[in-house]
Amino acid sequence: MSAALTGIPAKPRRPWLIAGWALVTGIVVLAFWSIDIDWSRLADLPAEIVRYTFLMFADPNWEKLPEALWQTWRSIEMAWVGTILGILLATPLSLLAARGFGPAWLRALLRGLFSLIRAVPEIIIAIVILSVTGLTPFTGALALAINGIGTLGKWGYEAVEAVPRGPIEAARAAGGGTLQVLRWGVWPQAEPAFWSFWLYRFEINVRSSAVLGLIGVGGIGDMLTSYTQYREWSTVGVLLIVVVVVTMLIDAASGAIRRRIMEGARARVLA
């Protein structure tokens, strides 16, 4: 019985969608099989993990703890400076990239810039700029700041476009210009989201600063690379313990602050 007689609409055919999925699947399969992997060594992986875990954590070299804490603090400083610079650069750009506050050509240009920056890892940005600034923590901070423009800019204009339009229209009806509309119609509603994004970006930068140490810009990552190359596994274990504990503490504190900003203070129930 035909669909016209039964009243049931025919199932839509999407040949281009099927062809697209087939193409993606084929690319993934080809990329997977083109990787030169010695599959026979996978059986040795669990034993190797256990062996290196024992080397690192059976007898950690706690004498390196003060130096590890100092280098971790340098990584946090790098992340903090990178976050502040990223906020100062990305916030005005995100406002201009929001629909209704910037010309169409500028919005397209800024959104393309944000996408381009997000596509480049921090370590690549650091390698590019270290020829000017040298192997210093400031190089890592600049790399984190530049990379933060991509994420903070995108989050920013999305937050601005998501606010209710009522206060914006009221500010415009009262004769306010673009700056007044942003100040009184947008910012009071978008401010909690912006603070949440900034704190979350700081969490990301703390983890990324350890990775940037791999190229020698300082911090705990630089120390971790050096002791790994010399196979001093007892010291590497101490460094990993410090990195994990400090990162978890920062994530927990930042997460609690973000929840307080977004949800407000919880009312106490009095008996």
Side-chain angles (χ1 to χ4, degrees):
M1 185 177 295
S2 64
L5 296 178
T6 60
I8 301 175
K11 185 177 181 180
R13 296 181 180 181
R14 300 176 180 176
W16 290 108
L17 181 61
I18 297 175
W21 278 110
L23 179 61
V24 171
T25 303
I27 293 174
V28 171
V29 171
L30 289 176
F32 181 79
W33 287 108
S34 63
I35 300 176
D36 187 13
I37 299 177
D38 187 1
W39 297 102
S40 61
R41 299 191 61 183
L42 287 179
D44 301 330
L45 184 60
E48 290 296 311
I49 293 176
V50 172
R51 184 170 76 90
Y52 282 104
T53 301
F54 179 81
L55 291 174
M56 288 187 292
F57 302 112
D59 186 21
N61 184 11
W62 295 109
E63 295 180 358
K64 297 295 183 179
L65 181 60
E67 183 181 0
L69 293 174
W70 167 244
Q71 294 298 333
T72 302
W73 176 250
R74 294 188 68 185
S75 295
I76 295 174
E77 290 179 326
M78 190 190 310
W80 178 254
V81 173
T83 303
I84 296 299
L85 292 177
I87 291 171
L88 295 177
L89 295 172
T91 301
L93 296 179
S94 65
L95 297 177
L96 292 175
R99 188 176 293 106
F101 297 98
W105 66 268
L106 183 58
R107 292 201 307 269
L109 180 63
L110 289 176
R111 295 187 182 198
L113 177 64
F114 296 155
S115 298
L116 177 62
I117 292 176
R118 290 197 307 274
V120 182
E122 295 96 338
I123 194 168
I124 302 299
I125 298 175
I127 292 173
V128 171
I129 65 177
L130 65 81
S131 60
V132 178
T133 58
L135 291 174
T136 64
F138 185 62
T139 301
L142 284 179
L144 294 174
I146 294 173
N147 188 264
I149 293 174
T151 53
L152 291 174
K154 176 179 172 58
W155 293 339
Y157 74 73
E158 288 181 346
V160 171
E161 293 179 352
V163 300
R165 308 301 297 179
I168 298 176
E169 298 301 329
R172 285 177 174 164
T178 301
L179 292 179
Q180 287 77 20
V181 171
L182 288 172
R183 172 62 184 88
W184 303 107
V186 174
W187 183 249
Q189 304 177 87
E191 182 181 5
F194 271 85
W195 278 103
S196 178
F197 297 153
W198 295 344
L199 288 169
Y200 183 56
R201 182 64 205 184
F202 175 63
E203 296 177 25
I204 296 174
N205 284 349
V206 169
R207 292 187 288 269
S208 299
S209 63
V211 178
L212 289 177
L214 299 177
I215 63 174
V217 298
I220 191 65
D222 193 3
M223 189 178 179
L224 185 60
T225 302
S226 300
Y227 284 102
T228 301
Q229 290 176 345
Y230 288 105
R231 301 295 190 269
E232 296 188 21
W233 300 116
S234 59
T235 302
V236 173
V238 172
L239 300 181
L240 291 178
I241 291 173
V242 171
V243 169
V244 171
V245 171
V246 171
T247 302
M248 291 178 63
L249 290 176
I250 292 176
D251 287 353
S254 178
I257 296 173
R258 284 190 288 112
R259 285 193 298 271
R260 178 65 177 266
I261 291 173
M262 298 301 294
E263 300 174 5
R266 295 182 178 179
R268 295 183 178 180
V269 180
L270 301 177

mmCIF file of all heavy atoms in Angstrom, residues 153-181:
data_model
loop_
_atom_site.group_PDB
_atom_site.id
_atom_site.type_symbol
_atom_site.label_atom_id
_atom_site.label_comp_id
_atom_site.label_asym_id
_atom_site.label_seq_id
_atom_site.Cartn_x
_atom_site.Cartn_y
_atom_site.Cartn_z
ATOM 1 N N GLY A 153 36.738 34.921 23.348
ATOM 2 C CA GLY A 153 35.985 35.696 22.372
ATOM 3 C C GLY A 153 34.712 34.996 21.938
ATOM 4 O O GLY A 153 33.640 35.611 21.865
ATOM 5 N N LYS A 154 34.808 33.697 21.680
ATOM 6 C CA LYS A 154 33.618 32.939 21.261
ATOM 7 C C LYS A 154 32.603 32.861 22.384
ATOM 8 O O LYS A 154 31.405 33.106 22.184
ATOM 9 C CB LYS A 154 34.030 31.530 20.825
ATOM 10 C CG LYS A 154 32.848 30.630 20.453
ATOM 11 C CD LYS A 154 33.322 29.264 20.013
ATOM 12 C CE LYS A 154 32.156 28.304 19.839
ATOM 13 N NZ LYS A 154 31.165 28.776 18.860
ATOM 14 N N TRP A 155 33.058 32.502 23.584
ATOM 15 C CA TRP A 155 32.139 32.430 24.714
ATOM 16 C C TRP A 155 31.492 33.785 24.981
ATOM 17 O O TRP A 155 30.310 33.872 25.333
ATOM 18 C CB TRP A 155 32.880 31.966 25.972
ATOM 19 C CG TRP A 155 33.373 30.569 25.902
ATOM 20 C CD1 TRP A 155 32.927 29.584 25.074
ATOM 21 C CD2 TRP A 155 34.412 29.988 26.695
ATOM 22 N NE1 TRP A 155 33.622 28.409 25.296
ATOM 23 C CE2 TRP A 155 34.537 28.629 26.282
ATOM 24 C CE3 TRP A 155 35.246 30.457 27.695
ATOM 25 C CZ2 TRP A 155 35.469 27.774 26.845
ATOM 26 C CZ3 TRP A 155 36.169 29.595 28.262
ATOM 27 C CH2 TRP A 155 36.275 28.271 27.849
ATOM 28 N N GLY A 156 32.273 34.870 24.798
ATOM 29 C CA GLY A 156 31.765 36.202 25.091
ATOM 30 C C GLY A 156 30.636 36.626 24.178
ATOM 31 O O GLY A 156 29.568 37.046 24.651
ATOM 32 N N TYR A 157 30.840 36.506 22.865
ATOM 33 C CA TYR A 157 29.766 36.967 21.977
ATOM 34 C C TYR A 157 28.547 36.052 22.043
ATOM 35 O O TYR A 157 27.413 36.494 21.843
ATOM 36 C CB TYR A 157 30.259 37.166 20.545
ATOM 37 C CG TYR A 157 30.521 35.941 19.710
ATOM 38 C CD1 TYR A 157 29.466 35.172 19.206
ATOM 39 C CD2 TYR A 157 31.815 35.575 19.359
ATOM 40 C CE1 TYR A 157 29.702 34.063 18.414
ATOM 41 C CE2 TYR A 157 32.057 34.477 18.554
ATOM 42 C CZ TYR A 157 31.012 33.724 18.089
ATOM 43 O OH TYR A 157 31.246 32.617 17.289
ATOM 44 N N GLU A 158 28.744 34.777 22.349
ATOM 45 C CA GLU A 158 27.590 33.908 22.527
ATOM 46 C C GLU A 158 26.801 34.299 23.782
ATOM 47 O O GLU A 158 25.564 34.244 23.795
ATOM 48 C CB GLU A 158 28.036 32.452 22.612
ATOM 49 C CG GLU A 158 28.514 31.879 21.282
ATOM 50 C CD GLU A 158 28.932 30.432 21.401
ATOM 51 O OE1 GLU A 158 29.106 29.957 22.545
ATOM 52 O OE2 GLU A 158 29.107 29.772 20.353
ATOM 53 N N ALA A 159 27.512 34.696 24.852
ATOM 54 C CA ALA A 159 26.825 35.124 26.064
ATOM 55 C C ALA A 159 26.058 36.418 25.829
ATOM 56 O O ALA A 159 24.933 36.588 26.325
ATOM 57 C CB ALA A 159 27.838 35.315 27.196
ATOM 58 N N VAL A 160 26.632 37.343 25.080
ATOM 59 C CA VAL A 160 25.953 38.608 24.785
ATOM 60 C C VAL A 160 24.701 38.363 23.953
ATOM 61 O O VAL A 160 23.643 38.958 24.200
ATOM 62 C CB VAL A 160 26.916 39.565 24.062
ATOM 63 C CG1 VAL A 160 26.173 40.795 23.548
ATOM 64 C CG2 VAL A 160 28.044 39.987 24.987
ATOM 65 N N GLU A 161 24.792 37.491 22.960
ATOM 66 C CA GLU A 161 23.638 37.228 22.107
ATOM 67 C C GLU A 161 22.547 36.439 22.821
ATOM 68 O O GLU A 161 21.407 36.408 22.355
ATOM 69 C CB GLU A 161 24.093 36.471 20.856
ATOM 70 C CG GLU A 161 24.979 37.305 19.928
ATOM 71 C CD GLU A 161 25.441 36.525 18.707
ATOM 72 O OE1 GLU A 161 25.201 35.296 18.674
ATOM 73 O OE2 GLU A 161 26.032 37.137 17.803
ATOM 74 N N ALA A 162 22.889 35.800 23.937
ATOM 75 C CA ALA A 162 21.906 34.975 24.647
ATOM 76 C C ALA A 162 21.114 35.759 25.691
ATOM 77 O O ALA A 162 20.140 35.223 26.237
ATOM 78 C CB ALA A 162 22.599 33.800 25.330
ATOM 79 N N VAL A 163 21.493 36.995 25.987
ATOM 80 C CA VAL A 163 20.784 37.739 27.031
ATOM 81 C C VAL A 163 19.404 38.149 26.517
ATOM 82 O O VAL A 163 19.196 38.330 25.309
ATOM 83 C CB VAL A 163 21.585 38.990 27.451
ATOM 84 C CG1 VAL A 163 22.947 38.604 27.991
ATOM 85 C CG2 VAL A 163 21.731 39.961 26.292
ATOM 86 N N PRO A 164 18.422 38.311 27.409
ATOM 87 C CA PRO A 164 17.090 38.782 26.988
ATOM 88 C C PRO A 164 17.171 40.153 26.325
ATOM 89 O O PRO A 164 17.963 41.009 26.722
ATOM 90 C CB PRO A 164 16.313 38.828 28.310
ATOM 91 C CG PRO A 164 17.019 37.868 29.204
ATOM 92 C CD PRO A 164 18.463 37.940 28.827
ATOM 93 N N ARG A 165 16.302 40.360 25.337
ATOM 94 C CA ARG A 165 16.365 41.589 24.546
ATOM 95 C C ARG A 165 15.636 42.763 25.184
ATOM 96 O O ARG A 165 15.818 43.914 24.762
ATOM 97 C CB ARG A 165 15.754 41.332 23.161
ATOM 98 C CG ARG A 165 16.316 40.129 22.431
ATOM 99 C CD ARG A 165 17.799 40.246 22.214
ATOM 100 N NE ARG A 165 18.145 41.385 21.363
ATOM 101 C CZ ARG A 165 19.390 41.707 21.043
ATOM 102 N NH1 ARG A 165 20.410 40.994 21.531
ATOM 103 N NH2 ARG A 165 19.632 42.739 20.256
ATOM 104 N N GLY A 166 14.826 42.505 26.208
ATOM 105 C CA GLY A 166 14.033 43.571 26.796
ATOM 106 C C GLY A 166 14.869 44.745 27.302
ATOM 107 O O GLY A 166 14.648 45.903 26.896
ATOM 108 N N PRO A 167 15.835 44.518 28.203
ATOM 109 C CA PRO A 167 16.654 45.638 28.691
ATOM 110 C C PRO A 167 17.435 46.336 27.581
ATOM 111 O O PRO A 167 17.664 47.550 27.653
ATOM 112 C CB PRO A 167 17.588 44.972 29.701
ATOM 113 C CG PRO A 167 16.855 43.748 30.148
ATOM 114 C CD PRO A 167 16.113 43.273 28.948
ATOM 115 N N ILE A 168 17.835 45.589 26.568
ATOM 116 C CA ILE A 168 18.568 46.201 25.459
ATOM 117 C C ILE A 168 17.670 47.169 24.703
ATOM 118 O O ILE A 168 18.052 48.307 24.400
ATOM 119 C CB ILE A 168 19.115 45.106 24.522
ATOM 120 C CG1 ILE A 168 20.103 44.213 25.279
ATOM 121 C CG2 ILE A 168 19.771 45.723 23.287
ATOM 122 C CD1 ILE A 168 20.620 43.043 24.457
ATOM 123 N N GLU A 169 16.448 46.726 24.399
ATOM 124 C CA GLU A 169 15.523 47.594 23.687
ATOM 125 C C GLU A 169 15.127 48.795 24.539
ATOM 126 O O GLU A 169 14.940 49.913 24.024
ATOM 127 C CB GLU A 169 14.278 46.799 23.284
ATOM 128 C CG GLU A 169 14.554 45.648 22.327
ATOM 129 C CD GLU A 169 15.186 46.114 21.030
ATOM 130 O OE1 GLU A 169 14.901 47.261 20.601
ATOM 131 O OE2 GLU A 169 15.967 45.344 20.437
ATOM 132 N N ALA A 170 15.018 48.608 25.852
ATOM 133 C CA ALA A 170 14.670 49.717 26.732
ATOM 134 C C ALA A 170 15.785 50.764 26.745
ATOM 135 O O ALA A 170 15.519 51.977 26.724
ATOM 136 C CB ALA A 170 14.410 49.209 28.143
ATOM 137 N N ALA A 171 17.065 50.287 26.776
ATOM 138 C CA ALA A 171 18.180 51.231 26.773
ATOM 139 C C ALA A 171 18.243 52.001 25.463
ATOM 140 O O ALA A 171 18.526 53.206 25.440
ATOM 141 C CB ALA A 171 19.491 50.476 27.021
ATOM 142 N N ARG A 172 17.941 51.320 24.366
ATOM 143 C CA ARG A 172 17.946 52.010 23.076
ATOM 144 C C ARG A 172 16.775 52.980 22.970
ATOM 145 O O ARG A 172 16.923 54.082 22.420
ATOM 146 C CB ARG A 172 17.892 50.979 21.950
ATOM 147 C CG ARG A 172 19.228 50.258 21.734
ATOM 148 C CD ARG A 172 19.133 49.197 20.681
ATOM 149 N NE ARG A 172 20.448 48.615 20.400
ATOM 150 C CZ ARG A 172 20.645 47.473 19.748
ATOM 151 N NH1 ARG A 172 19.592 46.782 19.312
ATOM 152 N NH2 ARG A 172 21.865 47.030 19.540
ATOM 153 N N ALA A 173 15.621 52.596 23.477
ATOM 154 C CA ALA A 173 14.458 53.483 23.423
ATOM 155 C C ALA A 173 14.669 54.737 24.254
ATOM 156 O O ALA A 173 14.092 55.802 23.966
ATOM 157 C CB ALA A 173 13.216 52.741 23.907
ATOM 158 N N ALA A 174 15.498 54.627 25.291
ATOM 159 C CA ALA A 174 15.787 55.786 26.128
ATOM 160 C C ALA A 174 16.828 56.702 25.501
ATOM 161 O O ALA A 174 17.191 57.714 26.110
ATOM 162 C CB ALA A 174 16.258 55.335 27.503
ATOM 163 N N GLY A 175 17.317 56.342 24.306
ATOM 164 C CA GLY A 175 18.280 57.185 23.612
ATOM 165 C C GLY A 175 19.719 56.825 23.860
ATOM 166 O O GLY A 175 20.620 57.603 23.503
ATOM 167 N N GLY A 176 19.975 55.674 24.432
ATOM 168 C CA GLY A 176 21.349 55.270 24.712
ATOM 169 C C GLY A 176 22.087 54.850 23.459
ATOM 170 O O GLY A 176 21.513 54.246 22.554
ATOM 171 N N GLY A 177 23.385 55.186 23.408
ATOM 172 C CA GLY A 177 24.219 54.748 22.309
ATOM 173 C C GLY A 177 24.698 53.322 22.536
ATOM 174 O O GLY A 177 24.263 52.626 23.468
ATOM 175 N N THR A 178 25.625 52.891 21.694
ATOM 176 C CA THR A 178 26.104 51.505 21.776
ATOM 177 C C THR A 178 26.765 51.225 23.113
ATOM 178 O O THR A 178 26.515 50.188 23.747
ATOM 179 C CB THR A 178 27.094 51.215 20.631
ATOM 180 O OG1 THR A 178 26.441 51.440 19.381
ATOM 181 C CG2 THR A 178 27.577 49.777 20.700
ATOM 182 N N LEU A 179 27.617 52.118 23.588
ATOM 183 C CA LEU A 179 28.296 51.910 24.865
ATOM 184 C C LEU A 179 27.299 51.882 26.024
ATOM 185 O O LEU A 179 27.421 51.053 26.937
ATOM 186 C CB LEU A 179 29.333 53.008 25.094
ATOM 187 C CG LEU A 179 30.550 52.990 24.155
ATOM 188 C CD1 LEU A 179 31.487 54.149 24.470
ATOM 189 C CD2 LEU A 179 31.293 51.660 24.267
ATOM 190 N N GLN A 180 26.303 52.778 25.988
ATOM 191 C CA GLN A 180 25.305 52.789 27.057
ATOM 192 C C GLN A 180 24.456 51.521 27.035
ATOM 193 O O GLN A 180 24.100 50.983 28.091
ATOM 194 C CB GLN A 180 24.396 54.028 26.930
ATOM 195 C CG GLN A 180 25.056 55.344 27.316
ATOM 196 C CD GLN A 180 25.993 55.859 26.243
ATOM 197 O OE1 GLN A 180 25.883 55.451 25.081
ATOM 198 N NE2 GLN A 180 26.890 56.759 26.618
ATOM 199 N N VAL A 181 24.117 51.051 25.839
ATOM 200 C CA VAL A 181 23.336 49.817 25.738
ATOM 201 C C VAL A 181 24.123 48.634 26.281
ATOM 202 O O VAL A 181 23.598 47.787 27.008
ATOM 203 C CB VAL A 181 22.921 49.571 24.275
ATOM 204 C CG1 VAL A 181 22.289 48.185 24.121
ATOM 205 C CG2 VAL A 181 21.937 50.637 23.817
#
